[in-house]
């Protein structure tokens, strides 16, 4: 390039430099607006050593040219994309994905952006001394950034540690307990009556089952399946109810003529006969010392075998036949149900009911007390009611009510777990196991062809026996064993032990 050309361009360049070599190199100085050329007052003196090196390299084609990249590859760990809302929007979770999709998202983000991505706190806009933030921070922020807490899903410790997300590290729910759907034993029970108001089956603490069939009472030993006929009331009478004492040695029998007989179950001998009722005695209940009997004559009689009289008191309150009786486990209260749809609660100090519960709309035969909570009573109504109701006998309030869809014939509360079993009549004839207090159904068992009118529980609390008008007794394993077994001792459970049937 000659001198005239250099002047025409307005740039003073050394003789060894050309305008082409200048255009190939960009300097940090910015051109003035509207000007297409650079004004360098001191072309050589103002150049940096790097610039001079580049210029000299371009003018010497024989030397190797240093490669200079024009790309800037940022460090993603410092780009902090989440401050611009680029990662806040969660992708739609597929059905059944649950917390697994969130965990996968965080794992993928960690692989792409690094484990230190977006977790430092720079809520302050400047560093100490008021200087601008370091270049590792974003200068433009569209929203305020907050440091994630220990339970944040963006915490670096979420993978393999406490994530704070429900269901991700929590223990999976315990599967429901499986209850066999079929009975493990079925016994024929000819002449077992199909009468809602009778109570013809009971299981003693010495593992002997008593069943009233027509005019006779039979004893079946669960340990050796031996059957013994205890008594025959004759052609003019019939069995309406049976009930073992808590010790399991004596059994009371309510008859169609209104008598209450007490028998020694080990010797098969009658001990006592007590009158007082005008007609059939359909229900019996033992406390530690008192035997209560309910009758179609609407009265409840209290019997004490230690005194010579037939009964020591009469409880009057029902307006129709008494068909349900049950003493509380502490012997303080007696619950009675009747065909008048009433549930009455009595105590030992008064001959008037302390509670009158009238919410049922059908006969109340099914009654049970909770062995786990004092003062908690459950009752079931007949065909027009179909409900299981729970009561606090201390306050007299109804706690809960569940419509079962069928006539409630019996209720029994498990002593091993906080669950109940109910038997039903019209219209499904089913057996149901409930978890208390949620009243979630644990199992529904079917097999009887008629109403399941009778229910008793084994002394170990694991097996129930049900009876129906189809003249069968069915044995079901419905409850688990006791969680904390007692020390081994001679309890007589599942073994007659000292008791011998003759």
């Amino acid at each position: 390039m000659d001198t005239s050309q250099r002047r025409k361009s307005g740039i003073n360049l050394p003789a060894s430099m050309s305008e082409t070599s200048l255009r190939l190199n960009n300097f940090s100085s910015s051109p003035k607006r509207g000007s297409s050329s650079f004004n360098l007052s001191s072309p050589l003196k103002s150049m940096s050593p790097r610039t001079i090196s580049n210029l000299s390299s371009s003018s010497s084609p024989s030397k190797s040219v240093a490669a200079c990249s024009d790309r800037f590859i940022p460090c993603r760990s410092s780009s902090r994309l989440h401050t611009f809302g680029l990662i806040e929007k969660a992708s739609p979770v597929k059905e059944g994905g649950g917390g697994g999709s969130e965990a996968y998202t965080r794992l993928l983000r960690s692989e792409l952006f690094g484990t230190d991505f977006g977790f430092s706190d720079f809520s302050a806009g400047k560093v100490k001394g008021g200087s601008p933030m370091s270049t590792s921070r974003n200068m433009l922020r569209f929203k305020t950034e907050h440091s994630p807490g220990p339970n944040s899903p963006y915490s670096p410790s979420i993978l393999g540690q406490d994530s704070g997300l429900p269901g991700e590290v929590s223990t999976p729910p315990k599967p429901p307990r499986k209850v066999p759907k079929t009975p493990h034993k079925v016994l024929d029970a000819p002449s077992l009556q199909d009468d809602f108001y009778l109570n013809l089956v009971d299981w003693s603490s010495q593992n002997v089952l008593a069943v009233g069939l027509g005019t006779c009472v039979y004893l079946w030993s669960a340990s050796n399946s031996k059957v013994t006929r205890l008594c025959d009331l004759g052609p003019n009478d019939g069995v309406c109810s049976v009930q073992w004492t808590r010790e399991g040695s004596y059994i009371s029998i309510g008859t169609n003529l209104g008598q209450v007989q007490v028998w020694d179950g080990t010797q098969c001998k009658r001990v006592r006969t007590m009158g007082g009722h005008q007609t059939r005695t359909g229900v019996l209940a033992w406390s530690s010392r008192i035997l209560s009997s309910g009758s179609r004559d609407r009265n409840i009689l209290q019997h004490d075998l230690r005194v010579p009289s037939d009964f020591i008191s009469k409880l009057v309150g029902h307006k129709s036949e008494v068909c349900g009786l049950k003493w509380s486990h502490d012997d303080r209260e007696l619950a009675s149900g009747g065909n008048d749809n009433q549930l009455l609660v009595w105590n030992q100090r008064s001959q008037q009911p302390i509670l009158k519960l009238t919410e049922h709309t059908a006969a109340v035969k099914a009654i049970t007390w909770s062995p786990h909570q004092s003062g908690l009573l459950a009752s079931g109504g007949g065909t027009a009611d179909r409900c299981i109701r729970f009561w606090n006998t201390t306050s007299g309030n109804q706690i809960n009510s569940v419509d079962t869809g069928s006539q409630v014939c019996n209720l029994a509360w498990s002593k091993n777990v906080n669950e109940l079993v109910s038997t039903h009549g019209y219209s499904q004839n089913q057996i149901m196991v409930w978890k208390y207090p949620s009243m979630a159904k644990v199992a529904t068992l079917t097999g009887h062809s008629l109403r399941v009118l009778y229910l008793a529980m084994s002394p170990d609390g694991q097996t129930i026996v049900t009876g129906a008008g189809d003249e069968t007794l069915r044995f079901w394993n419905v409850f688990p064993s006791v969680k904390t077994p007692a020390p081994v001792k001679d309890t007589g459970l599942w073994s007659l032990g000292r008791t011998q049937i003759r």
Side-chain angles (χ1 to χ4, degrees):
M1 183 182 295
D2 55 8
T3 306
S4 62
Q5 288 177 334
R6 293 186 194 137
R7 289 173 181 170
K8 191 179 291 185
S9 63
I11 302 176
N12 296 323
L13 298 174
S16 62
M17 293 179 59
S18 65
E19 233 179 306
T20 304
S21 63
L22 179 62
R23 292 194 190 98
L24 295 175
N25 297 276
N26 295 333
F27 300 97
S28 59
S29 301
S30 302
K32 292 183 180 181
R33 185 173 298 178
S35 173
S36 61
S37 61
F38 290 91
N39 292 323
L40 302 176
S41 57
S42 301
L44 289 176
K45 293 181 180 180
S46 63
M47 293 182 185
S48 65
R50 180 181 177 184
T51 304
I52 296 174
S53 175
N54 291 340
L55 290 175
S56 62
S57 300
S58 64
S59 61
S60 304
S62 62
K63 298 180 180 181
S64 61
V65 180
C68 297
S69 174
D70 60 347
R71 295 179 60 197
F72 171 68
I73 301 176
C75 178
R76 287 178 174 141
S77 63
S78 62
S79 60
R80 310 180 66 79
L81 296 179
H82 68 281
T83 60
F84 295 92
L86 298 180
I87 65 172
E88 293 285 46
K89 185 176 181 181
S91 60
V93 180
K94 294 182 179 180
E95 182 178 356
S101 176
E102 185 70 20
Y104 172 77
T105 302
R106 291 196 302 275
L107 180 61
L108 181 61
R109 184 165 55 249
S110 175
E111 291 294 328
L112 292 177
F113 300 113
T115 56
D116 60 341
F117 169 65
F119 300 119
S120 59
D121 184 14
F122 61 102
S123 57
K126 296 182 179 181
V127 296
K128 291 184 179 180
S131 61
M133 291 186 349
S134 64
T135 57
S136 65
R137 318 286 191 185
N138 278 330
M139 301 303 294
L140 301 175
R141 291 184 297 170
F142 294 149
K143 61 181 180 179
T144 304
E145 191 177 73
H146 300 282
S147 176
N151 293 328
S152 171
Y154 298 103
S155 173
S157 62
I158 54 174
L159 298 176
Q161 298 182 25
D162 184 14
S163 65
L165 290 178
E168 190 165 316
V169 296
S170 60
T171 305
K174 186 177 180 180
R177 176 168 54 85
K178 293 184 178 179
V179 177
K181 297 293 186 180
T182 57
H184 65 86
K185 185 186 294 292
V186 179
L187 298 180
D188 289 327
S191 302
L192 185 61
Q193 297 187 57
D194 184 23
D195 193 327
F196 177 81
Y197 300 99
L198 304 185
N199 295 270
L200 298 175
V201 177
D202 194 32
W203 206 330
S204 78
S205 60
Q206 296 191 20
N207 207 22
V208 179
L209 186 69
V211 185
L213 301 176
T215 62
C216 300
V217 175
Y218 292 88
L219 305 181
W220 178 81
S221 173
S223 60
N224 55 22
S225 299
K226 180 181 178 180
V227 178
T228 304
R229 189 176 72 174
L230 176 67
C231 65
D232 187 346
L233 301 182
N236 298 323
D237 207 348
V239 180
C240 295
S241 57
V242 295
Q243 182 73 34
W244 288 97
T245 60
R246 293 182 179 178
E247 294 77 14
S249 300
Y250 294 89
I251 183 173
S252 57
I253 302 171
T255 74
N256 192 53
L257 297 178
Q259 292 183 338
V260 176
Q261 300 182 7
V262 179
W263 288 70
D264 185 338
T266 61
Q267 303 294 329
C268 293
K269 293 182 179 180
R270 186 170 59 183
V271 176
R272 183 87 177 264
T273 299
M274 296 170 287
H277 288 297
Q278 304 301 317
T279 183
R280 70 178 186 183
T281 305
V283 60
L284 299 165
W286 282 93
S287 69
S288 298
R289 298 184 176 92
I290 303 299
L291 171 61
S292 302
S293 60
S295 172
R296 182 180 277 179
D297 64 10
R298 303 173 295 179
N299 298 326
I300 300 171
L301 299 182
Q302 306 280 57
H303 310 273
D304 191 339
L305 300 185
R306 299 168 296 180
V307 299
S309 58
D310 286 343
F311 58 93
I312 58 174
S313 64
K314 179 186 293 187
L315 306 180
V316 180
H318 285 283
K319 301 176 182 178
S320 186
E321 180 173 7
V322 180
C323 52
L325 274 180
K326 196 75 68 175
W327 278 97
S328 63
H329 297 279
D330 57 8
D331 292 343
R332 294 183 178 180
E333 294 175 322
L334 172 67
S336 64
N339 198 33
D340 55 1
N341 308 343
Q342 288 191 101
L343 176 65
L344 305 182
V345 180
W346 317 74
N347 63 20
Q348 295 181 346
R349 298 180 299 273
S350 174
Q351 293 187 358
Q352 297 297 322
I354 59 175
L355 286 177
K356 289 186 177 182
L357 308 172
T358 59
E359 279 76 0
H360 282 292
T361 57
V364 183
K365 175 190 177 185
I367 300 173
T368 185
W369 292 88
S370 170
H372 310 285
Q373 181 178 340
S374 178
L376 178 57
L377 176 66
S379 59
T383 307
D385 184 75
R386 307 177 305 179
C387 292
I388 299 175
R389 302 178 189 271
F390 297 89
W391 314 88
N392 183 337
T393 59
T394 302
S395 63
N397 296 328
Q398 179 175 289
I399 301 173
N400 192 13
S401 177
V402 178
D403 189 343
T404 65
S406 297
Q407 175 189 43
V408 184
C409 301
N410 292 278
L411 283 171
W413 213 306
S414 171
K415 63 181 181 180
N416 298 347
V417 290
N418 201 7
E419 296 177 0
L420 304 95
V421 59
S422 59
T423 69
H424 300 268
Y426 304 124
S427 58
Q428 301 178 38
N429 305 325
Q430 79 273 36
I431 302 161
M432 304 182 74
V433 183
W434 310 82
K435 185 179 292 294
Y436 187 84
S438 66
M439 291 306 288
K441 294 180 184 178
V442 178
T444 300
L445 310 175
T446 57
H448 286 288
S449 58
L450 294 177
R451 297 180 296 174
V452 189
L453 297 176
Y454 310 110
L455 170 68
M457 190 177 297
S458 65
D460 67 355
Q462 299 184 50
T463 303
I464 63 169
V465 58
T466 56
D470 57 10
E471 298 185 345
T472 63
L473 295 173
R474 299 173 184 263
F475 294 78
W476 315 78
N477 290 324
V478 295
F479 295 121
S481 59
V482 182
K483 293 182 179 180
T484 54
V488 178
K489 60 181 180 179
D490 182 14
T491 60
L493 303 185
W494 292 101
S495 174
L496 292 180
R498 297 179 298 273
T499 304
Q500 299 294 327
I501 300 296
R502 298 178 182 177

